Amino acid sequence: EQLEWKKRDIVFGKARKDEHKRILALHKKYYKEINDEDIDFAQYLIARHGKDIVGFCRIVKHAGDHKELKSLWVLEKFRGEKLGQFLVRKLLSLQKKTKKVYIAAKTGLIEYYSDLGFRPIDNPPPVIVEKHERAARKKKMPTGVVMVYIFAEHKEDASLRSRPDLLLIDGGKGQRTVALEALKEQNLAIPILALA
């Protein structure tokens, strides 16, 4: 997927020192959209189109080793093209030894973050709730929903990528015939055992 963005001249990387002022300016300009608390430029993943910043997000580490995804922003011109989703997935993939990442999502974005693997949580860490409520008061906006991404729920099963030695079909001749036809269509030769 990163190659597809590269074909469109969009590259990704950490925030460079010469971009710090531009990032702050974007936070100021899009104040209602993106959180400007706890800014540490080393935490940002930036999407660039040429020299322009066209998107970013960051993960902030709070007390108690709780991590929170914040400040997902994409330039209007690139919205609707899944650039934000790519930024989130890329940033999550860079997390090492992390069990959970939280996000305080606006109510209208619950489905968006659910599609990325986050789910609402009943008892979020108090530090996440406090920061979220303070930011909502500061911006005079309603509070949203705290969601969590649990890495253990999203581990890829490597066995699903390897070719099986045998296919066991729950059924008789009819099911075996359908399975054999599917294998033939895919040009695969895998032994089959059908159980009636």
Side-chain angles (χ1 to χ4, degrees):
E1 191 176 5
Q2 193 161 340
L3 289 173
E4 290 301 315
W5 289 110
K6 195 170 184 177
K7 287 178 187 174
R8 297 179 60 190
D9 295 323
I10 295 178
V11 295
F12 303 89
K14 292 187 175 194
R16 298 187 304 247
K17 209 169 194 170
D18 66 328
E19 294 174 322
H20 293 184
K21 285 183 181 176
R22 282 188 280 163
I23 292 168
L24 289 174
L26 289 166
H27 271 283
K28 190 174 182 178
K29 182 176 181 180
Y30 296 96
Y31 177 75
K32 292 279 187 179
E33 289 181 45
I34 50 181
N35 188 297
D36 63 348
E37 292 184 337
D38 307 314
I39 289 180
D40 176 356
F41 296 108
Q43 300 167 333
Y44 281 78
L45 176 63
I46 307 290
R48 298 177 190 89
H49 186 261
K51 292 183 179 181
D52 296 328
I53 296 173
V54 297
F56 57 71
C57 63
R58 61 190 172 121
I59 289 184
V60 176
K61 187 175 176 181
H62 298 300
D65 202 30
H66 298 296
K67 292 187 175 181
E68 181 182 9
L69 178 75
K70 286 188 168 200
S71 306
L72 175 60
W73 171 81
V74 173
L75 187 66
E76 290 91 346
K77 169 179 164 178
F78 292 96
R79 292 183 186 178
E81 299 180 31
K82 302 192 187 236
L83 178 58
Q85 291 178 355
F86 180 79
L87 280 165
V88 171
R89 283 194 308 273
K90 179 77 174 163
L91 195 55
L92 289 172
S93 76
L94 297 173
Q95 300 307 301
K96 305 296 179 213
K97 298 180 182 179
T98 301
K99 294 180 181 179
K100 298 176 182 177
V101 170
Y102 298 92
I103 185 164
K106 294 175 186 169
T107 307
L109 293 173
I110 292 171
E111 186 176 340
Y112 179 87
Y113 288 109
S114 293
D115 289 346
L116 288 165
F118 286 84
R119 61 179 168 82
I121 184 170
D122 291 330
N123 297 309
V127 66
I128 304 291
V129 175
E130 289 165 17
K131 287 188 172 281
H132 177 51
E133 288 175 350
R134 185 175 61 236
R137 280 192 305 272
K138 184 177 166 185
K139 295 180 181 191
K140 298 179 179 151
M141 296 177 71
T143 56
V145 175
V146 177
M147 302 177 78
V148 64
Y149 182 93
I150 301 173
F151 285 84
E153 294 176 357
H154 300 282
K155 283 188 177 177
E156 187 177 312
D157 185 348
S159 68
L160 296 175
R161 283 196 270 145
S162 59
R163 183 181 168 140
D165 298 322
L166 173 71
L167 291 177
L168 183 59
I169 306 299
D170 184 14
K173 273 186 171 181
Q175 287 85 351
R176 183 193 68 168
T177 302
V178 170
L180 285 169
E181 288 172 4
L183 287 173
K184 187 176 180 181
E185 284 177 21
Q186 297 298 316
N187 204 20
L188 295 171
I190 300 172
I192 288 184
L193 179 61
L195 301 173

